[in-house]
Amino acid sequence: MCRWLAYSGTPLLLDTILYRPAHSLIDQSLHSRLGVETTNGDGFGVGWYAQERIGTPALFTDVGPAWNNRNLRELADHVRSPLFFAHIRATTGTAVQQTNCHPFRHGRWMWMHNGAIADFHLMRRDLSLLVAPGLYPDIEGTTDSELMFYLALTFGLDQDPPGAVSRMVGAVERSGRDHGVEFPLQMTIGVTDGERVWAFRYSSEGASRSLFYSTRVDALRKLHPDAAFLHEVSDDTRLIVSEPLGDLPGAWNEVPESSYSVIEDGADDLHSFVPEPA
């Protein structure tokens, strides 16, 4: 499986979140505490938007481990963004290659995933045929994660992100049933259009991989008035992570099973998530 984080808020150097926390994503690439694997070294990626959040996001991916990549270290010290995604990969069977590294991008959208479609090799053809013909040529890699993204785009991600993801999950679970797969899908997903961030936690068996969201900054300042970094970011700053970046009491909250969160205009809302039957 994998580990990922999504950041939205006061523009920061990528280094601030990627490297500085005690249990940063770089540390998790070697010492994951809550993932299926301790080590996540099958590639990595970061994606970010310009501070004006105009146009498509930039991507930097590589097939090596994040913990010893000099270019990532250099980039993190010089790129500042109000919204970025970061992902470290532990492959579930597809090739270690650059086109399989998250985040994935299409237009203004970014997408990343932790989990797997069970027995993906059985369902891959059926699911691929559901992708809109105009979108299919843009698929570059071989992962279930990227195919899930293009299914969501096919099912209306531009107009209704939660509905599109719900329809994507419904299609995967229908295909799984057709092929005799008891629990077809395991997922935590981060997706953004550059303005809003959606984070989903769901699995067919009701035992999803870990996902957490940060407590409101104004509430944390009251709990920890001496924590200097809390005075450097705005109240609307938010993080969603596969596992907490540190041990600050009260800082992290588990995303409930079968739910999704939306970060928009400084607010974050939790909603229940139910797949739409395909």
Side-chain angles (χ1 to χ4, degrees):
M1 301 296 176
C2 310
R3 304 278 84 185
W4 60 261
L5 70 80
Y7 172 85
S8 176
T10 298
L12 292 177
L13 287 173
L14 304 189
D15 164 76
T16 308
I17 303 299
L18 277 183
Y19 286 91
R20 293 187 193 179
H23 191 46
S24 69
L25 200 66
I26 302 303
D27 181 64
Q28 291 176 37
S29 66
L30 276 168
H31 307 295
S32 173
R33 299 171 184 171
L34 301 178
V36 175
E37 299 88 4
T38 301
T39 303
N40 297 270
D42 296 324
F44 68 87
V46 291
W48 68 93
Y49 294 84
Q51 292 194 34
E52 297 80 10
R53 305 195 192 197
I54 296 173
T56 61
L59 292 183
F60 174 64
T61 60
D62 204 335
V63 297
W67 65 75
N68 69 350
N69 189 282
R70 295 179 64 186
N71 290 329
L72 179 62
R73 174 70 270 185
E74 178 74 12
L75 191 76
D77 285 336
H78 293 87
V79 171
R80 187 181 301 271
S81 177
L83 198 166
F84 68 86
F85 277 12
H87 185 280
I88 50 176
R89 185 171 183 242
T91 179
T92 55
T94 49
V96 178
Q97 61 191 46
Q98 199 159 10
T99 53
N100 284 346
C101 293
H102 311 221
F104 300 103
R105 174 183 63 192
H106 188 274
R108 72 182 191 275
W109 291 93
M110 278 199 298
W111 173 285
M112 56 188 175
H113 168 231
N114 172 36
I117 296 177
D119 290 319
F120 178 52
H121 64 288
L122 298 177
M123 293 182 255
R124 183 175 175 181
R125 180 179 181 276
D126 291 350
L127 294 175
S128 296
L129 290 173
L130 297 177
V131 175
L135 290 171
Y136 187 82
D138 295 333
I139 298 176
E140 296 185 315
T142 60
T143 63
D144 51 356
S145 305
E146 187 181 18
L147 184 54
M148 290 163 64
F149 180 28
Y150 277 82
L151 286 169
L153 287 165
T154 297
F155 296 147
L157 190 65
D158 272 322
Q159 294 78 36
D160 175 16
V165 174
S166 176
R167 290 185 282 276
M168 177 274 291
V169 172
V172 171
E173 293 192 323
R174 180 188 64 183
S175 180
R177 289 193 298 271
D178 290 345
H179 289 278
V181 180
E182 184 179 9
F183 301 121
L185 186 60
Q186 174 71 243
M187 71 177 208
T188 66
I189 287 171
V191 59
T192 180
D193 61 359
E195 296 293 335
R196 297 160 292 176
V197 177
W198 293 263
F200 298 83
R201 183 178 185 227
Y202 176 81
S203 64
S204 303
E205 60 186 310
S208 302
R209 302 293 180 243
S210 59
L211 193 65
F212 298 83
Y213 64 95
S214 60
T215 299
R216 290 183 56 89
V217 172
D218 53 351
L220 281 175
R221 289 196 197 104
K222 294 176 183 178
L223 287 173
H224 306 283
D226 297 327
F229 69 91
L230 292 174
H231 298 276
E232 299 172 0
V233 296
S234 62
D235 288 353
D236 62 354
T237 295
R238 299 288 186 275
L239 275 161
I240 301 177
V241 297
S242 292
E243 56 190 79
L245 304 183
D247 299 320
L248 188 69
W252 302 103
N253 314 274
E254 187 173 17
V255 175
E257 181 71 42
S258 299
S259 67
Y260 71 94
S261 176
V262 186
I263 298 174
E264 179 179 17
D265 296 329
D268 44 42
D269 298 311
L270 277 170
H271 307 269
S272 61
F273 179 79
V274 179
E276 184 173 318

